[in-house]
Amino acid sequence: MVEIGVLALRLALIGGLYAVLAAIFGAQMRRPALVRSSRQAAYAVHALVAAAALVLWHALITRDFSLEYVASYSSSTLALPYRIAALWGGQAGSLLFWVLILTTMSTVVHLQNRERNEALMPYVTATLMTIAAFFLALLVFITGPFERLPVPATEGADLNPLLQNYWMMIHPPSLYLGYVGCSVPFAFAIAALATGRLGDVWIRTTRRWTLFAWFFLSVGNLLGARWAYEELGWGGYWAWDPVENAAFMPWLVCTAFLHSVMIQEKKNMLKMWNMVLVLLTFCLTIFGTFLTRSGIVSSVHSFTQSGLGPFFVAFLLAIIAIVVVLVTMRRELLRGENEIDSFLSREAAFLFNNLLFVGIAFATFWGTIFPVISEAVRGIKITVGPPFFNKVNTPLGLALLFMTGIGPVIAWRRASARNLRRSFTVPLLLGFVTGIAIFASGWRNYYAVVCFSLSAFVLATIFMEFYRGTRARQALMGETPARALSNLVGKNRRRYGGYVIHVGVVMVFIGVAASSAFRLEEQETIKKGAVVNVGAFELTYKDIHFTDGAHYSSMLAEIEVKKNGTFVETMFPEKRFYKKQQQPTTEVALRSTLIEDLYLVLGSYDDASGLMTLIVFVNPLVNWIWIGGLVLVLGTVIVMSPTAAEQRALAAALAVEERGLEAALR
Amino acid sequence: MDRNRRFIIGAAIIVAAVTYLVYTGIRETSVYYLTIDEFLTRREAVAGEGLRVAGRVGADSVKWNGATLDLKFRLANFEDDDGVDVTYNGVLPDMFAEGRDVIVEGTYAHQGAFHARTLLTACPSKYEAEVAKN
């Protein structure tokens, strides 16, 4: 069984390399048969990688402890879902999982483009298969998932308890889908550069893929935050850890690209800039993988220092070299055809939005690798922590929030005074009133007040867009308000889906601002019967309970919770002790409402004195981060939802009317 | 031309703002990051400064009082033949144990002990578990 896995990986590597060569030679020498063969090889690679993954899954599920990987990341008492998740719980398995996703996407891309993009596709095949071959080479030569132990183990070391959490089931796959999804736009960008076909085709072909990757990067980051919040027990959700940054940076650049690409589609500008953003996004995903695998910067997340670092550096440098050569070769073709007319225009707003996104990415990058740089330059490692990232990124983030209100609403080319008055008077007023009201009611955190004020401004601009659009439809088409709204969104999915995403983002901003500026934290070491007061909460330590199971033992503190004097709930913060790994873990007790989260941690329990340390966090509005995430999902579904053929026909028929309507909307 | 110049100014303002924020951010928030060996050789020179030191919890060195939450341990080097005493007050992190890799953040007093404000556990096996090769 295991031999099949080993063989499959080797054959996949050979197949991948063949596909690269066949695709490039086939395209260069105009040999369609060779190109077809490269496509077949890409399918075969996918099948072989899938076979290898199934073999590893089989070994994990059947608890084959003769395999080093299985013995390291699972145990006989580990529940089935976690044995399945153990595939991405360790180094080799997660690399295999990575290639599995990449080759699956490669197959989908090839199927989608069987009849399309004949000129681009060979280079897309070559690029995707080069990436696959790199990861396969690591799996075959450096870190094999099918290594056998000299003597089969009788029991596994178990999956890290921190990973035994349901968020862990979905967070890494989501992030990987996002990371790997960035390879597809990258592959098309390379193909466009290689063939010199730098028109809109490659961008339109990959729009959905870019959105797909962006979507999973967003969701992956939020799930990771949620996992940290529930599992790590420090009351927060984001620590600017290098691994978090590694996933955050490609998201930032990808988001910048999604915005600036609209300028290219509409105005044929920023071609070079867009190309750079696509290439940079992909490089950052590889860089992120490198960060997590090399141990170059210390992180609580890192995998073992596995010696993979140099390979990733070499791969990254090779990519950058190829990219620089290609872009230089094609720089004439990447010239834009138009210039920006005015500061007060949508083009300018998008450009500034882009600079802010890239600025935040740059600051994050700089802070993350600063220890490495300072060591190289000054011979001493200097590190910056969360204060650096908060200090730098908060003002930039707020500026970005402001642009979220401006960008989608301001007129193209040159905004007239009338356009500005019409679009921004009410929202600006509302923003100011909100800010003053919050300030007057005694909240004195300036950044948070500014954030709420800007949020009100942005939400108002979005609301007005929906309101005006719906009203215009009602007036012109005589539709009912509900029908007008659904038609408005349905016929302009990109635009209004985009607004919905912005609403989600504003919610995330509000949640982050409130929970970081106004959180309460209290730590008390108390005896049974003692009371702790935090904000409106009154917590009574009633009792402590001990339980014992096969997989772990645990102790639970019984805490009676009163809010403003009335009993609301009994909560049980827990400390578990995982037996295989001899490791305690904290299981947070959480009472989550739309207003605030009450977050209880059983810090420690001292048998001798009977003293228990309780850590209490009250995090206001933190739930809106996750709700914002769901709204973002909804918005992305709207943006990506395909329009059926009949709707397209209908749209064509309605085009004339639509144009009239568009004019009415302006 | 005039238009372009305005744009370059606009873009330059953003670039300058980012640079300024990064520069001051690094100046105000940076701390030295030392391995325990580097710390031991230059400890008197860096006394009183904000430090981050990575080392290993020395064998049989942990003294923990669950009632007062006072923790004392020796932050030792790889061979566990040299180290510095660390004091910390707070809840023990889950991954904290003798022989584990930890990072302490705080200050070192001349000839004295290292007072840690934060105690981070970067577990040595990270997410890779050690295999029981029996």
Side-chain angles (χ1 to χ4, degrees), chain B residues 12-82:
Chain B
I13 288 172
I14 294 185
V15 172
V18 172
T19 316
Y20 171 79
L21 285 169
V22 168
Y23 175 75
T24 57
I26 287 199
R27 223 185 37 189
E28 287 168 24
T29 65
S30 64
V31 289
Y32 289 112
Y33 184 93
L34 304 168
T35 63
I36 183 70
D37 290 312
E38 289 165 337
F39 171 79
L40 291 173
T41 48
R42 60 170 94 170
R43 61 172 128 188
E44 295 311 321
V46 292
E49 302 227 37
L51 294 178
R52 241 182 140 166
V53 184
R56 191 163 279 188
V57 182
D60 299 321
S61 74
V62 176
K63 288 186 191 66
W64 159 246
N65 184 332
T68 60
L69 306 188
D70 280 321
L71 172 69
K72 275 187 190 149
F73 66 95
R74 192 176 66 253
L75 188 69
N77 59 6
F78 215 64
E79 297 79 25
D80 202 3
D81 55 11
D82 197 1

Coordinates of all heavy atoms in Angstrom, one line a residue, chain B residues 12-82:
Chain B
A12 N 3.5 60.3 -3.4 CA 4.7 60.5 -2.5 C 4.3 60.7 -1.1 O 5.0 60.3 -0.2 CB 5.5 61.7 -3.0
I13 N 3.1 61.4 -0.9 CA 2.7 61.6 0.5 C 2.4 60.3 1.2 O 2.8 60.0 2.3 CB 1.4 62.5 0.5 CG1 1.9 64.0 0.2 CG2 0.8 62.5 1.9 CD1 0.7 64.9 0.0
I14 N 1.7 59.4 0.5 CA 1.4 58.1 1.0 C 2.7 57.3 1.3 O 2.9 56.8 2.4 CB 0.5 57.3 0.1 CG1 -0.9 58.0 0.0 CG2 0.3 55.9 0.6 CD1 -1.9 57.3 -0.7
V15 N 3.6 57.3 0.3 CA 4.8 56.6 0.5 C 5.6 57.1 1.7 O 6.1 56.4 2.6 CB 5.7 56.6 -0.8 CG1 7.1 56.1 -0.5 CG2 5.0 55.9 -1.9
A16 N 5.6 58.5 1.8 CA 6.3 59.1 2.9 C 5.7 58.8 4.2 O 6.4 58.5 5.2 CB 6.4 60.6 2.7
A17 N 4.4 58.7 4.3 CA 3.6 58.4 5.5 C 4.0 57.0 5.9 O 4.3 56.7 7.1 CB 2.1 58.6 5.3
V18 N 4.0 56.1 5.0 CA 4.3 54.7 5.3 C 5.7 54.6 5.8 O 6.0 54.0 6.9 CB 4.1 53.8 4.1 CG1 4.6 52.4 4.4 CG2 2.7 53.7 3.6
T19 N 6.6 55.2 5.1 CA 8.0 55.2 5.6 C 8.2 55.8 7.0 O 8.9 55.2 7.8 CB 8.9 56.0 4.6 OG1 8.5 55.7 3.3 CG2 10.4 55.7 4.7
Y20 N 7.6 56.9 7.2 CA 7.7 57.6 8.5 C 7.1 56.7 9.6 O 7.7 56.5 10.6 CB 6.9 58.9 8.5 CG 6.7 59.5 9.8 CD1 7.8 60.2 10.4 CD2 5.6 59.4 10.5 CE1 7.7 60.8 11.7 CE2 5.4 60.0 11.8 CZ 6.5 60.6 12.4 OH 6.3 61.2 13.6
L21 N 5.9 56.1 9.3 CA 5.3 55.2 10.3 C 6.2 54.0 10.6 O 6.4 53.6 11.8 CB 3.9 54.7 9.9 CG 2.8 55.8 9.9 CD1 1.6 55.3 9.2 CD2 2.5 56.1 11.4
V22 N 6.8 53.4 9.6 CA 7.6 52.2 9.8 C 8.9 52.6 10.5 O 9.2 52.0 11.5 CB 8.0 51.6 8.4 CG1 9.1 50.6 8.6 CG2 6.8 51.0 7.7
Y23 N 9.4 53.8 10.1 CA 10.7 54.2 10.8 C 10.5 54.5 12.3 O 11.2 53.9 13.1 CB 11.2 55.5 10.1 CG 12.4 56.0 10.8 CD1 13.7 55.4 10.6 CD2 12.3 57.2 11.5 CE1 14.8 55.9 11.3 CE2 13.4 57.7 12.2 CZ 14.7 57.1 12.0 OH 15.8 57.6 12.7
T24 N 9.5 55.3 12.6 CA 9.2 55.6 14.0 C 8.8 54.4 14.8 O 9.1 54.2 15.9 CB 8.2 56.7 14.2 OG1 7.0 56.3 13.6 CG2 8.7 58.0 13.6
G25 N 8.0 53.6 14.1 CA 7.5 52.3 14.7 C 8.6 51.4 15.1 O 8.6 50.9 16.3
I26 N 9.6 51.3 14.3 CA 10.7 50.4 14.6 C 11.5 51.0 15.7 O 11.9 50.4 16.6 CB 11.5 50.1 13.3 CG1 10.8 49.2 12.5 CG2 12.9 49.6 13.7 CD1 11.5 48.4 11.4
R27 N 11.7 52.4 15.6 CA 12.5 53.0 16.7 C 11.9 52.9 18.0 O 12.6 52.7 19.0 CB 12.8 54.5 16.3 CG 14.2 54.9 16.5 CD 14.4 56.3 16.3 NE 13.2 57.1 16.8 CZ 13.0 58.4 16.6 NH1 13.9 59.0 15.8 NH2 12.0 59.0 17.0
E28 N 10.6 53.0 18.1 CA 9.9 53.0 19.4 C 9.6 51.6 20.0 O 9.4 51.5 21.1 CB 8.7 53.8 19.3 CG 9.0 55.3 19.2 CD 7.7 56.1 18.8 OE1 6.6 55.6 19.1 OE2 7.9 57.2 18.2
T29 N 9.5 50.6 19.1 CA 9.0 49.4 19.6 C 10.0 48.2 19.5 O 9.7 47.1 20.0 CB 7.7 48.9 18.8 OG1 8.1 48.7 17.5 CG2 6.6 50.0 18.9
S30 N 11.2 48.5 19.0 CA 12.1 47.4 18.8 C 12.8 46.9 20.1 O 13.1 47.8 20.9 CB 13.1 47.7 17.7 OG 13.9 48.7 18.2
V31 N 13.0 45.7 20.2 CA 13.7 45.1 21.3 C 14.8 44.2 20.8 O 14.6 43.6 19.7 CB 12.8 44.4 22.3 CG1 11.9 45.3 23.1 CG2 12.0 43.3 21.6
Y32 N 15.9 44.1 21.5 CA 16.9 43.1 21.1 C 16.4 41.7 21.2 O 15.7 41.3 22.2 CB 18.2 43.3 21.9 CG 18.9 44.6 21.7 CD1 19.0 45.6 22.6 CD2 19.5 44.8 20.4 CE1 19.6 46.7 22.4 CE2 20.2 45.9 20.2 CZ 20.2 46.9 21.1 OH 20.9 48.1 20.9
Y33 N 16.7 40.9 20.2 CA 16.4 39.5 20.3 C 17.6 38.7 20.3 O 18.5 38.7 19.4 CB 15.6 39.2 19.0 CG 15.1 37.8 19.0 CD1 13.8 37.5 19.5 CD2 15.8 36.7 18.6 CE1 13.3 36.2 19.5 CE2 15.4 35.4 18.6 CZ 14.1 35.2 19.0 OH 13.6 33.9 19.0
L34 N 17.8 38.0 21.5 CA 19.1 37.3 21.7 C 18.8 35.8 22.0 O 17.8 35.5 22.6 CB 19.9 37.9 22.9 CG 20.2 39.4 22.8 CD1 20.7 39.9 24.2 CD2 21.2 39.7 21.8
T35 N 19.7 35.0 21.5 CA 19.7 33.6 22.0 C 20.3 33.6 23.4 O 21.0 34.6 23.7 CB 20.5 32.7 21.1 OG1 21.8 33.1 21.1 CG2 19.9 32.7 19.7
I36 N 20.1 32.6 24.1 CA 20.6 32.6 25.5 C 22.1 32.7 25.5 O 22.7 33.4 26.3 CB 20.1 31.4 26.3 CG1 20.6 31.3 27.7 CG2 20.5 30.1 25.6 CD1 20.0 32.4 28.6
D37 N 22.8 32.1 24.5 CA 24.3 32.1 24.4 C 24.7 33.6 24.2 O 25.7 34.0 24.9 CB 24.8 31.2 23.3 CG 24.6 29.8 23.7 OD1 24.9 29.4 24.8 OD2 24.1 29.0 22.8
E38 N 24.1 34.3 23.3 CA 24.4 35.7 23.0 C 24.2 36.5 24.3 O 25.0 37.4 24.6 CB 23.6 36.2 21.9 CG 24.0 35.7 20.5 CD 22.9 36.0 19.4 OE1 21.7 36.2 19.8 OE2 23.2 36.0 18.3
F39 N 23.1 36.2 24.9 CA 22.8 37.0 26.1 C 23.8 36.8 27.2 O 24.3 37.7 27.8 CB 21.4 36.6 26.7 CG 21.1 37.1 28.0 CD1 20.7 38.4 28.2 CD2 21.2 36.3 29.2 CE1 20.4 38.9 29.4 CE2 21.0 36.8 30.4 CZ 20.5 38.2 30.5
L40 N 24.2 35.5 27.4 CA 25.2 35.2 28.5 C 26.5 35.9 28.2 O 27.2 36.3 29.2 CB 25.4 33.7 28.6 CG 24.1 33.0 29.1 CD1 24.3 31.5 29.1 CD2 23.8 33.4 30.6
T41 N 27.0 36.0 27.0 CA 28.3 36.6 26.7 C 28.2 38.2 26.9 O 29.2 38.8 27.3 CB 28.8 36.3 25.4 OG1 27.8 36.5 24.4 CG2 29.3 34.9 25.3
R42 N 27.0 38.8 26.6 CA 27.0 40.2 26.7 C 26.0 40.7 27.7 O 25.5 41.8 27.5 CB 26.8 40.8 25.3 CG 25.6 40.4 24.6 CD 25.4 41.3 23.4 NE 25.9 40.6 22.2 CZ 25.7 41.0 21.0 NH1 25.0 42.1 20.8 NH2 26.2 40.4 19.9
R43 N 25.7 40.0 28.7 CA 24.6 40.4 29.5 C 24.7 41.7 30.3 O 23.8 42.4 30.4 CB 24.2 39.3 30.5 CG 25.3 38.9 31.5 CD 24.7 37.9 32.5 NE 25.5 36.7 32.7 CZ 25.2 35.7 33.4 NH1 24.0 35.7 34.0 NH2 25.9 34.6 33.5
E44 N 26.0 42.0 30.7 CA 26.1 43.2 31.4 C 26.0 44.4 30.5 O 25.5 45.5 31.0 CB 27.5 43.3 32.1 CG 27.7 42.2 33.2 CD 26.5 42.2 34.2 OE1 26.0 43.2 34.6 OE2 26.1 41.1 34.6
A45 N 26.3 44.3 29.2 CA 26.2 45.4 28.3 C 24.7 45.7 28.0 O 24.4 46.9 27.7 CB 26.9 45.1 27.0
V46 N 23.9 44.7 28.1 CA 22.5 45.0 27.7 C 21.6 45.1 28.9 O 20.3 45.1 28.8 CB 21.9 43.9 26.8 CG1 22.6 43.9 25.4 CG2 22.1 42.5 27.4
A47 N 22.1 45.1 30.1 CA 21.3 45.2 31.3 C 20.5 46.5 31.3 O 20.9 47.6 30.8 CB 22.2 45.3 32.5
G48 N 19.2 46.4 31.7 CA 18.4 47.5 31.7 C 17.6 47.8 30.4 O 16.7 48.6 30.4
E49 N 18.0 47.1 29.3 CA 17.4 47.4 28.0 C 16.2 46.4 27.8 O 16.2 45.3 28.5 CB 18.4 47.2 26.9 CG 19.6 48.1 27.0 CD 19.9 48.8 25.7 OE1 18.9 49.1 25.0 OE2 21.1 48.9 25.4
G50 N 15.3 46.7 26.9 CA 14.3 45.8 26.6 C 14.8 44.6 25.8 O 15.5 44.8 24.8
L51 N 14.6 43.4 26.3 CA 15.2 42.3 25.7 C 14.2 41.2 25.4 O 13.2 41.0 26.1 CB 16.3 41.7 26.6 CG 17.5 42.5 26.9 CD1 18.3 41.7 27.9 CD2 18.3 42.8 25.7
R52 N 14.5 40.4 24.4 CA 13.8 39.2 24.2 C 14.8 38.1 24.1 O 15.8 38.2 23.3 CB 13.1 39.2 22.8 CG 11.7 39.1 22.8 CD 11.1 39.2 21.4 NE 10.1 38.2 21.4 CZ 9.1 38.1 20.5 NH1 9.1 38.8 19.5 NH2 8.2 37.2 20.7
V53 N 14.7 37.1 25.0 CA 15.8 36.1 25.0 C 15.1 34.7 24.8 O 14.2 34.4 25.5 CB 16.6 36.1 26.3 CG1 17.7 35.1 26.3 CG2 17.1 37.5 26.6
A54 N 15.7 33.9 23.9 CA 15.3 32.6 23.6 C 16.2 31.6 24.3 O 17.4 31.7 24.1 CB 15.2 32.3 22.1
G55 N 15.6 30.7 25.0 CA 16.5 29.7 25.6 C 15.6 28.5 26.0 O 14.5 28.3 25.5
R56 N 16.1 27.7 26.9 CA 15.4 26.4 27.3 C 15.3 26.4 28.8 O 16.1 26.9 29.5 CB 16.3 25.3 26.8 CG 15.6 23.9 26.9 CD 16.3 22.9 26.0 NE 16.0 23.1 24.6 CZ 16.4 22.2 23.7 NH1 17.2 21.2 24.0 NH2 16.1 22.4 22.4
V57 N 14.2 25.9 29.2 CA 13.9 25.8 30.7 C 14.8 24.8 31.3 O 14.8 23.6 30.9 CB 12.4 25.5 31.0 CG1 12.2 25.5 32.5 CG2 11.5 26.5 30.3
G58 N 15.7 25.2 32.2 CA 16.7 24.3 32.8 C 16.0 23.1 33.6 O 15.0 23.3 34.2
A59 N 16.7 22.0 33.6 CA 16.2 20.8 34.3 C 16.1 21.1 35.8 O 17.1 21.8 36.3 CB 17.0 19.6 34.0
D60 N 15.1 20.7 36.5 CA 14.9 20.8 37.9 C 15.1 22.3 38.4 O 15.5 22.5 39.5 CB 16.0 20.0 38.7 CG 15.8 18.5 38.3 OD1 14.7 18.1 38.2 OD2 16.9 17.8 38.2
S61 N 14.7 23.2 37.6 CA 14.9 24.6 38.0 C 13.6 25.3 38.3 O 13.6 26.4 38.8 CB 15.7 25.4 36.9 OG 14.9 25.6 35.8
V62 N 12.5 24.7 37.9 CA 11.2 25.4 38.0 C 10.6 25.4 39.4 O 10.5 24.4 40.0 CB 10.2 24.8 37.0 CG1 8.8 25.5 37.2 CG2 10.6 24.9 35.6
K63 N 10.4 26.6 39.9 CA 9.7 26.8 41.2 C 8.5 27.6 41.0 O 8.5 28.7 40.6 CB 10.6 27.5 42.2 CG 11.8 26.6 42.7 CD 12.6 27.3 43.8 CE 13.9 26.5 44.1 NZ 14.8 26.6 42.9
W64 N 7.4 27.0 41.2 CA 6.1 27.6 40.9 C 5.2 27.6 42.1 O 5.0 26.6 42.8 CB 5.5 26.8 39.7 CG 4.0 26.9 39.5 CD1 3.0 26.0 39.7 CD2 3.3 28.1 39.1 NE1 1.8 26.4 39.4 CE2 1.9 27.8 39.0 CE3 3.7 29.4 38.8 CZ2 0.9 28.7 38.6 CZ3 2.7 30.3 38.4 CH2 1.4 29.9 38.3
N65 N 4.7 28.7 42.4 CA 3.8 28.9 43.5 C 2.4 29.2 42.9 O 2.1 30.3 42.4 CB 4.2 30.0 44.4 CG 3.3 30.1 45.7 OD1 2.2 29.8 45.6 ND2 3.9 30.6 46.7
G66 N 1.5 28.1 43.0 CA 0.2 28.3 42.4 C -0.7 29.3 43.2 O -1.7 29.7 42.7
A67 N -0.4 29.6 44.4 CA -1.2 30.5 45.1 C -0.9 32.0 44.8 O -1.7 32.8 44.7 CB -1.0 30.3 46.6
T68 N 0.4 32.3 44.7 CA 0.9 33.7 44.4 C 1.2 33.9 42.9 O 1.4 35.0 42.5 CB 2.1 34.0 45.2 OG1 3.2 33.1 44.8 CG2 1.9 33.9 46.7
L69 N 1.2 32.8 42.1 CA 1.5 32.8 40.7 C 3.0 33.3 40.5 O 3.3 33.8 39.4 CB 0.6 33.6 39.9 CG -0.9 33.3 40.0 CD1 -1.7 34.1 39.0 CD2 -1.2 31.8 39.8
D70 N 3.8 33.1 41.5 CA 5.2 33.4 41.3 C 6.0 32.3 40.7 O 5.9 31.1 41.1 CB 5.9 33.8 42.6 CG 5.6 35.2 43.0 OD1 5.5 36.1 42.1 OD2 5.3 35.5 44.2
L71 N 6.7 32.6 39.6 CA 7.4 31.5 38.9 C 8.9 31.9 38.9 O 9.3 33.1 38.6 CB 6.9 31.4 37.5 CG 7.7 30.5 36.5 CD1 7.6 29.0 36.9 CD2 7.3 30.7 35.1
K72 N 9.7 30.9 39.2 CA 11.2 31.1 39.0 C 11.7 29.9 38.2 O 11.3 28.8 38.5 CB 11.9 31.2 40.4 CG 11.9 32.5 41.0 CD 12.7 32.5 42.3 CE 12.5 33.8 43.0 NZ 12.7 33.7 44.5
F73 N 12.6 30.2 37.3 CA 13.2 29.1 36.6 C 14.5 29.6 36.1 O 14.8 30.8 36.0 CB 12.3 28.5 35.5 CG 12.1 29.4 34.4 CD1 12.8 29.3 33.2 CD2 11.0 30.3 34.4 CE1 12.6 30.2 32.2 CE2 10.8 31.2 33.4 CZ 11.5 31.1 32.2
R74 N 15.4 28.6 35.6 CA 16.6 29.0 35.0 C 16.4 28.9 33.5 O 16.0 27.9 33.0 CB 17.8 28.1 35.5 CG 19.1 28.6 35.0 CD 20.3 27.8 35.6 NE 20.3 26.4 35.0 CZ 19.9 25.3 35.6 NH1 19.5 25.4 36.9 NH2 19.9 24.2 35.0
L75 N 16.7 30.0 32.8 CA 16.7 30.0 31.4 C 18.1 29.5 31.0 O 19.1 30.2 31.2 CB 16.4 31.4 30.8 CG 16.2 31.4 29.3 CD1 14.9 30.7 28.9 CD2 16.2 32.9 28.8
A76 N 18.2 28.3 30.4 CA 19.5 27.7 30.2 C 19.8 27.6 28.8 O 19.0 27.8 27.9 CB 19.5 26.3 30.9
N77 N 21.1 27.3 28.5 CA 21.5 27.1 27.1 C 21.2 25.7 26.7 O 20.7 24.9 27.5 CB 23.0 27.5 26.9 CG 23.9 26.6 27.8 OD1 23.4 25.7 28.5 ND2 25.2 27.0 27.8
F78 N 21.6 25.4 25.5 CA 21.3 24.1 24.9 C 21.8 22.9 25.7 O 21.1 21.9 26.0 CB 21.9 24.1 23.5 CG 21.1 23.3 22.5 CD1 19.8 23.8 22.2 CD2 21.6 22.2 21.9 CE1 19.0 23.1 21.3 CE2 20.8 21.5 21.0 CZ 19.5 21.9 20.7
E79 N 23.1 23.1 26.2 CA 23.7 22.0 27.0 C 23.2 22.0 28.4 O 23.6 21.1 29.2 CB 25.2 22.2 26.9 CG 25.8 22.1 25.6 CD 25.7 23.3 24.8 OE1 25.6 24.4 25.4 OE2 25.7 23.3 23.5
D80 N 22.5 23.1 28.8 CA 22.1 23.2 30.2 C 23.2 23.2 31.2 O 23.1 22.7 32.3 CB 21.1 22.0 30.6 CG 20.2 22.4 31.8 OD1 20.3 23.6 32.2 OD2 19.4 21.6 32.2
D81 N 24.4 23.9 30.8 CA 25.4 24.0 31.8 C 25.6 25.5 32.2 O 26.5 25.8 33.0 CB 26.8 23.5 31.2 CG 27.1 24.0 29.9 OD1 26.5 25.0 29.5 OD2 28.0 23.5 29.2
D82 N 24.9 26.4 31.6 CA 24.9 27.8 32.0 C 23.6 28.4 31.7 O 22.8 27.9 30.9 CB 26.0 28.5 31.1 CG 26.4 29.8 31.8 OD1 25.9 30.2 32.8 OD2 27.3 30.5 31.2

